[in-house]
């Protein structure tokens, strides 16, 4: 019997990331919960189960992902979930560009940085799954949402990153996809009806795709949607 795969989830101390970590553990994966605050990561891991590991990982720290990769060893599944929504209600012509920069630093560069730290190892080992938690607000086919312009642009950029990484890992055994979890009841969107546990199922599905599964696609509710 083969060893369980190891999954690392960013921003997993609460909400959707925490629910995704719990779902992946339920599916038999070894799980590493990461968060900017190490104590918060440890507390979240303990809530999921005694066998769940925790590690501090601030995705905006230029060196943190590399340190984590060196200390944690092989990671087979990477879920880039850490994200912020700082500009709800702003207008593209008025949103402070400092807010745009902060949003991109977490939502785009954070995931990019973590991918650079962990995906090369997956390629070397010939197997991996990478999931970027995106949003319908960043879909060109649906129309970018102007009510949170920094957030929307950051998610459109995440979608672009997904397609690039899928292209450069084609044929290596690594699958890279983005998931739109839909409106989910988290701190970002407390009035949403969909629970984190419900939304986490779709992310976990993308993180456990079979070897003949798709790569470089945008998934929602188990189906491909337009970029």
């Amino acid at each position: 019997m083969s060893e369980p795969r190891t999954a690392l989830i960013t921003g997993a101390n609460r909400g959707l990331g925490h629910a995704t970590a719990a779902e992946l553990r339920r599916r038999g994966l070894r799980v590493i919960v990461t968060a900017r605050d190490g104590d918060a990561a440890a507390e979240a891991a303990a809530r999921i189960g005694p066998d769940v590991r925790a590690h501090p990982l601030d995705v905006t720290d230029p060196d943190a992902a590399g340190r984590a990769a060196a200390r944690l060893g092989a990671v087979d599944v990477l879920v880039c979930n850490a994200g912020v929504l700082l500009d709800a209600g702003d207008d593209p012509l008025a949103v402070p560009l400092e807010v745009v920069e902060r949003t991109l630093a977490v939502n785009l560069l954070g995931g990019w940085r973590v991918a650079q730290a962990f995906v090369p190892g997956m390629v070397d080992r010939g197997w991996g799954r990478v999931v970027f938690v995106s949003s319908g607000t960043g879909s060109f086919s649906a129309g970018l949402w102007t009510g949170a312009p920094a957030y929307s642009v950051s998610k459109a950029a995440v979608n672009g990153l997904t397609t690039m990484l899928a292209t450069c890992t084609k044929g290596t055994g690594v699958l890279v996809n983005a998931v739109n979890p839909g409106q989910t009841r988290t701190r970002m969107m407390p009035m949403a009806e969909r629970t984190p546990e419900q939304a986490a199922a779709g992310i976990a599905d993308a993180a456990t795709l079979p070897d003949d599964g798709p790569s470089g696609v945008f998934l929602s509710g188990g189906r491909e949607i337009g970029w």
Side-chain angles (χ1 to χ4, degrees):
M1 186 173 180
S2 61
E3 287 291 314
R5 303 289 189 184
T6 296
L8 183 146
I9 305 92
T10 66
N13 56 306
R14 63 174 178 268
L16 187 53
H18 187 265
T20 299
E23 177 62 20
L24 289 173
R25 179 188 179 251
R26 190 187 69 79
R27 297 189 186 197
L29 280 73
R30 292 172 174 165
V31 169
I32 304 172
V33 167
T34 73
R36 181 175 56 184
D37 183 288
D39 290 339
E43 292 170 4
R47 290 196 300 270
I48 297 172
D51 57 331
V52 176
R53 299 165 67 187
H55 197 280
L57 178 51
D58 179 353
V59 299
T60 66
D61 180 338
D63 302 316
R67 290 195 302 266
R71 293 175 184 173
L72 294 172
V75 166
D76 308 295
V77 174
L78 175 63
V79 178
C80 293
N81 166 76
V84 294
L85 170 58
L86 305 175
D87 65 330
D90 280 337
D91 180 274
L93 293 176
V95 60
L97 293 184
E98 184 270 339
V99 172
V100 179
E101 291 174 346
R102 287 167 55 199
T103 302
L104 291 171
V106 178
N107 295 1
L108 172 63
L109 298 182
W112 202 332
R113 182 175 289 119
V114 175
Q116 287 185 337
F118 288 99
V119 174
M122 298 179 188
V123 172
D124 290 343
R125 294 186 297 275
W127 197 95
R129 301 291 181 267
V130 183
V131 180
F132 288 98
V133 178
S134 187
S135 169
T137 66
S139 166
F140 282 99
S141 63
L144 271 65
W145 184 42
T146 59
Y151 182 79
S152 299
V153 165
S154 75
K155 293 302 185 179
V158 164
N159 290 348
L161 175 62
T162 300
T163 64
M164 288 194 296
L165 294 185
T167 297
C168 72
T169 58
K170 186 176 181 180
T172 67
V174 178
L175 306 180
V176 185
N177 295 294
V179 171
N180 171 21
Q183 295 186 0
T184 304
R185 191 187 313 140
T186 63
R187 193 169 68 171
M188 283 186 188
M189 195 169 290
M191 303 305 293
E193 294 185 4
R194 188 173 174 82
T195 68
E197 290 73 23
Q198 290 171 322
I203 298 172
D205 288 345
T208 56
L209 284 169
D211 291 343
D212 61 353
S215 188
V217 301
F218 198 9
L219 297 166
S220 181
R223 63 184 181 87
E224 294 184 25
I225 59 174
W227 292 113

